[in-house]
Amino acid sequence: MTLTIEAPDASGLRPACPVCGASAAGSFESLAATAPRDTARGAVRFFCCGGCGLRFQEAAPGEDGSVYAEVEFPREMVDGPAPSARAGVSWRLFDEAVLDRFEKLAPGRRLLDVGSGDGRFLAAAARRGFDAQGVDVSPVLAEIARKRSGATVWQGSLPKLGLPAGSFDVVNIDLVLVYVPEPAPLLREVERLLVPGGVCRIREFFVDSLRPRMARLRWWYYSDTALRVYTRRSLAQLAARSGLAIERSIPGTELSFRAFRVAMAKKSRLGGPLSPALYWMKKARFGPTPLAADCTYYLRKPAAGRGEGR
Ligand SMILES: [Zn+2]
């Protein structure tokens, strides 16, 4: 099953994949995108990499990924309630599950949240005693996150900040890669910023899962702001090219069944009784293919880190 609908366009244009460099093997127009935010980009056309299968839009020159900010975080939020007040119990359980795992896997507590958004996760990490810092390309969001978490939040593109090597034990990249025009330099920088043995967590929605494959061109993730939509192979390529080893992958949800039940029960009256079925759906696999599209990867920088010279 493949989503490649058309041969490369008549002009012979075959843009190169921003992950593996292979040429696009085809393209399609998303049926999920309803209102293109960026008229310069025109209709939302995705190219399909002939190598790793990444679906990608052509990014405008100088595109920095900040197009996501106004979509994901509407302006009203700037003066809205703090994330701790907004975030319900399901977010609290989610953040705790992630931080539990960081405590088990990471060699220390210096944490960088890449694409820290409204600072919800930063605040949770700081409360747990992590030495947490954030970075966001959006100046508005960087300011919000600073105010709301009390953490240092850098504004800009991470590779351009030039932070000292080996500054962090753990880096979190949660639903951010989809907006990043140049993911390869970002991951190489993450590798440089991690201590040897440090951990990088990446959560994304993957097009080669069963539900997106069934939804085809109508998959909701093919939105105007989704610059790069990953396959598991794309993620593996990205990890390998940045010198990070995939340690584990967790499809569906990181919550334990017990925590998932609590979260669902708090969300709606139906959620509690339905939770066993929903949890099963999130974890179901058909052969090697998961049903749910979201998956979390834990990558590790080898103890004898590349280029560390120690
Ligand atoms: Zn590729």
Side-chain angles (χ1 to χ4, degrees):
M1 227 187 308
T2 169
L3 270 178
T4 307
I5 302 304
E6 297 172 10
D9 60 40
S11 66
L13 178 72
R14 284 169 176 254
C17 169
V19 167
C20 75
S23 301
S27 72
F28 60 92
E29 233 161 71
S30 164
L31 298 180
T34 47
R37 314 274 319 174
D38 181 357
T39 45
R41 208 180 281 139
V44 181
R45 173 160 293 276
F46 283 86
F47 292 89
C48 178
C49 170
C52 71
L54 185 85
R55 307 331 195 226
F56 60 100
Q57 299 186 46
E58 279 195 291
E63 173 83 63
D64 65 355
S66 60
V67 62
Y68 84 93
E70 58 184 291
V71 178
E72 299 290 314
F73 299 94
R75 295 277 147 163
E76 305 84 90
M77 232 196 67
V78 176
D79 302 312
S84 53
R86 249 180 359 96
V89 70
S90 40
W91 276 122
R92 189 171 54 74
L93 291 169
F94 175 79
D95 292 341
E96 279 172 10
V98 172
L99 291 165
D100 282 347
R101 223 181 291 277
F102 283 171
E103 282 179 349
K104 280 193 200 114
L105 296 179
R109 301 184 82 84
R110 291 173 305 164
L111 179 152
L112 178 68
D113 192 21
V114 176
S116 47
D118 65 7
R120 188 206 74 242
F121 184 74
L122 271 183
R127 279 198 302 274
R128 273 280 279 268
F130 280 84
D131 175 7
Q133 297 185 18
V135 58
D136 207 291
V137 287
S138 156
V140 177
L141 286 176
E143 183 57 34
I144 293 175
R146 241 173 250 141
K147 251 194 264 172
R148 293 179 175 181
S149 67
T152 300
V153 180
W154 307 92
Q155 188 268 311
S157 162
L158 185 66
K160 290 182 184 156
L161 295 179
L163 300 177
S167 298
F168 298 99
D169 301 297
V170 55
V171 172
N172 187 44
I173 310 178
D174 194 287
L175 299 186
V176 169
L177 285 183
V178 61
Y179 306 118
V180 176
E182 296 293 345
L186 176 72
L187 261 284
R188 282 198 299 273
E189 180 65 357
V190 165
E191 190 271 346
R192 193 184 71 82
L193 292 176
L194 280 171
V195 289
V199 167
C200 171
R201 170 183 177 274
I202 295 175
R203 182 163 74 110
E204 259 309 325
F205 286 83
F206 291 89
V207 62
D208 50 351
S209 315
L210 199 62
R211 283 173 70 174
R213 284 165 75 168
M214 286 160 66
R216 292 170 59 85
L217 309 186
R218 294 184 191 281
W219 186 33
W220 65 275
Y221 212 49
Y222 287 137
S223 64
D224 316 273
T225 52
L227 295 178
R228 280 88 182 85
V229 178
Y230 288 76
T231 60
R232 286 168 170 75
R233 205 161 142 213
S234 309
L235 200 282
Q237 285 265 350
L238 195 58
R241 282 162 187 256
S242 52
L244 295 166
I246 295 177
E247 194 161 286
R248 63 190 302 181
S249 64
I250 302 167
T253 174
E254 285 191 87
L255 293 181
S256 67
F257 175 58
R258 219 172 127 198
F260 184 78
R261 275 187 95 146
V262 174
M264 291 302 295
K266 294 279 181 191
K267 264 188 183 167
S268 75
R269 283 163 82 190
L270 260 185
L274 283 180
S275 58
L278 290 173
Y279 196 79
W280 178 84
M281 274 171 67
K282 281 193 169 286
K283 292 295 185 185
R285 282 178 177 276
F286 294 84
T289 310
L291 175 66
D294 51 330
C295 187
T296 306
Y297 283 82
Y298 284 85
L299 317 178
R300 197 182 287 278
K301 174 169 172 168
R306 199 179 61 143
E308 285 293 313
R310 287 183 270 167

